[in-house]
């Protein structure tokens, strides 16, 4: 018994060493991709803006408080992105709006990943009727466009931040269930899974410690791309009035509020639109770079 435990500990140590080497190899390959690194730099800048938004711009004075005397001013030294129809500083609203977009994106994708990953891992590991029932439910959800499903949930339960996060999180569950299921099917019959069963590991332990960690490559790439999709979805919901409500500085709501002034004050819509475009572009560049770095066929 002690020999088996010693062998298992040694295998775990070897596995951890290999994982560290793989991470170093993936990072070195990712660094060679200039576009992916550009996306990573932009994302880091956005995260810093979101973290230090209160330091960069005062929320009550510049973001929420209306100043009709300075409405619709073009970009200047005082307001580098100009002011909106209520005299609020657009740059400050974009900075604080990054908090909302990143928060909704990360929490919604985390919800989709946890629930979808749980369903997908159970379906792939057990197979049979369990797999059939779970995946048919996922197919039903996939039959409804994700944005339409999110609109239905938000319209039914109300337009607030929590409901928007729940709606977008539920809409992304089937996608992760299918990805994780496919990855689990590829590893569940490997020798290390049989070794875990041989030493008496429970199914939950095998799934959480052995199966899912070996399926992380496609999941990591999908998470990066999904955050971009969620940010675009929340902007779309806010644009049609079903997302974050005024006076909260959400990028889609800023676009919706400024569209009637597009001819006379172009800056009201252009800068929030650029913020959405640059954020999604950066996430897509990083996602593409991670996909290439994690592709085992590129190791040769």
């Amino acid at each position: 018994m002690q020999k088996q435990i010693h062998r298992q500990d040694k295998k775990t140590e070897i596995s951890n060493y290999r994982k560290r080497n793989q991470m170093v190899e993936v990072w070195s390959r990712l660094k060679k991709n200039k576009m992916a690194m550009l996306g990573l730099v932009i994302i880091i800048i956005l995260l810093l803006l979101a973290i230090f938004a209160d330091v960069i711009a005062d929320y009550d004075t510049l973001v929420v408080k209306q100043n009709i005397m300075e409405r619709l001013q073009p970009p200047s030294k005082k307001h580098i992105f100009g002011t909106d129809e209520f005299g609020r500083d657009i740059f400050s609203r974009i900075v604080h709006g990054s908090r909302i977009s990143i928060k909704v994106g990360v929490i919604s994708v985390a919800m989709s990943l946890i629930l979808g990953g749980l369903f997908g891992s159970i379906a792939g590991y057990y197979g049979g009727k369990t797999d059939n029932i779970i995946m048919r439910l996922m197919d039903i959800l996939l039959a409804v466009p994700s944005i339409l499903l999110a609109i239905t949930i938000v319209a039914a339960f109300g337009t607030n931040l929590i409901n928007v996060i729940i709606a977008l999180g539920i809409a992304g569950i089937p996608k992760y269930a299918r990805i994780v299921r496919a990855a689990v099917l590829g590893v569940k019959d490997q020798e290390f899974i049989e070794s875990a069963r041989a030493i008496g590991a429970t199914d939950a332990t095998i799934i959480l410690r052995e199966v899912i960690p070996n399926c992380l490559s496609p999941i990591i790439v999908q998470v990066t791309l999904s955050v971009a999709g969620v940010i675009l979805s929340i902007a779309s919901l806010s644009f049609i009035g079903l997302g974050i409500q005024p006076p909260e500085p959400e990028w889609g709501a800023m676009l919706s509020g400024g569209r009637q002034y597009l001819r006379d004050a172009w800056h009201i819509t252009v800068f929030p639109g650029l913020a959405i475009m640059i954020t999604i572009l950066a996430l897509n560049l990083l996602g593409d770079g991670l996909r290439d770095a994690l592709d085992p066929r590129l190791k040769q």
Side-chain angles (χ1 to χ4, degrees):
M1 184 67 182
Q2 290 181 350
K3 289 183 178 180
Q4 287 183 343
I5 296 174
H6 178 71
R7 288 176 182 174
Q8 184 63 27
D9 291 340
K10 192 171 183 179
K11 287 181 180 179
T12 303
E13 184 179 349
I14 293 172
S15 176
N16 292 335
Y17 175 75
R18 288 177 178 174
K19 288 177 181 179
R20 286 194 295 269
N21 285 346
Q22 289 175 354
M23 291 178 62
V24 172
E25 186 179 351
V26 168
W27 173 245
S28 63
R29 193 181 296 121
L30 182 65
K31 288 194 298 184
K32 295 177 183 179
N33 190 327
K34 294 182 180 179
M35 299 305 295
M37 295 306 296
L38 174 62
L40 180 60
V41 170
I42 294 174
I43 292 170
I44 292 173
I45 293 173
L46 287 171
L47 288 173
L48 292 175
L49 286 176
I51 293 171
F52 298 104
D54 292 328
V55 178
I56 297 172
D58 181 70
Y59 184 84
D60 293 328
T61 303
L62 297 173
V63 178
V64 178
K65 186 178 180 181
Q66 299 181 11
N67 185 1
I68 304 301
M69 298 299 295
E70 295 185 354
R71 66 190 299 267
L72 300 178
Q73 289 190 0
S76 62
K77 291 183 179 181
K78 184 178 180 180
H79 304 285
I80 59 174
F81 285 176
T83 59
D84 63 7
E85 67 273 24
F86 297 109
R88 299 171 298 194
D89 183 68
I90 293 178
F91 173 75
S92 302
R93 289 178 62 78
I94 289 176
V95 169
H96 281 270
S98 64
R99 276 186 173 179
I100 297 176
S101 296
I102 293 173
K103 182 193 299 183
V104 173
V106 171
I107 297 177
S108 298
V109 170
M111 177 181 172
S112 301
L113 174 60
I114 293 171
L115 296 178
L118 178 63
F119 290 135
S121 58
I122 292 173
Y125 185 78
Y126 289 104
K129 291 183 179 180
T130 303
D131 181 19
N132 194 32
I133 292 172
I134 291 176
M135 295 317 297
R136 295 300 74 78
L137 291 174
M138 295 300 107
D139 289 340
I140 292 173
L141 288 177
L142 280 173
V144 182
S146 59
I147 188 65
L148 180 59
L149 180 61
I151 289 173
T152 304
I153 295 173
V154 171
F157 295 100
T159 54
N160 56 57
L161 182 61
I162 295 176
N163 289 339
V164 169
I165 291 174
I166 293 173
L168 295 175
I170 293 174
I173 288 175
K175 179 167 46 181
Y176 284 99
R178 293 173 70 91
I179 292 173
V180 173
R181 174 183 176 271
V184 169
L185 289 174
V187 301
K188 74 172 186 176
D189 294 326
Q190 297 292 328
E191 293 181 357
F192 63 91
I193 302 295
E194 297 296 333
S195 300
R197 289 198 189 102
I199 63 172
T202 62
D203 290 343
T205 301
I206 293 174
I207 291 173
L208 294 175
R209 293 187 179 181
E210 303 293 342
V211 175
I212 293 180
N214 286 278
C215 304
L216 287 180
S217 296
I219 295 174
I220 291 173
V221 175
Q222 188 59 48
V223 164
T224 309
L225 299 175
S226 294
V227 172
V230 169
I231 290 176
L232 184 59
S233 295
I234 180 59
S236 301
L237 289 173
S238 298
F239 186 82
I240 61 176
L242 292 175
I244 309 302
Q245 298 300 303
E248 292 293 329
E250 201 283 320
W251 295 340
M254 293 171 67
L255 282 174
S256 179
R259 58 183 172 175
Q260 58 183 317
Y261 304 100
L262 188 58
R263 291 185 178 180
D264 300 324
W266 57 270
H267 58 278
I268 299 180
T269 53
V270 168
F271 289 116
L274 285 174
I276 296 171
M277 184 190 73
I278 292 172
T279 302
I280 294 174
L281 176 62
L283 288 166
N284 286 333
L285 289 175
L286 180 59
D288 290 340
L290 285 172
R291 180 193 60 200
D292 296 339
L294 292 166
D295 192 345
R297 291 173 296 180
L298 297 179
K299 290 183 179 180
Q300 298 177 357

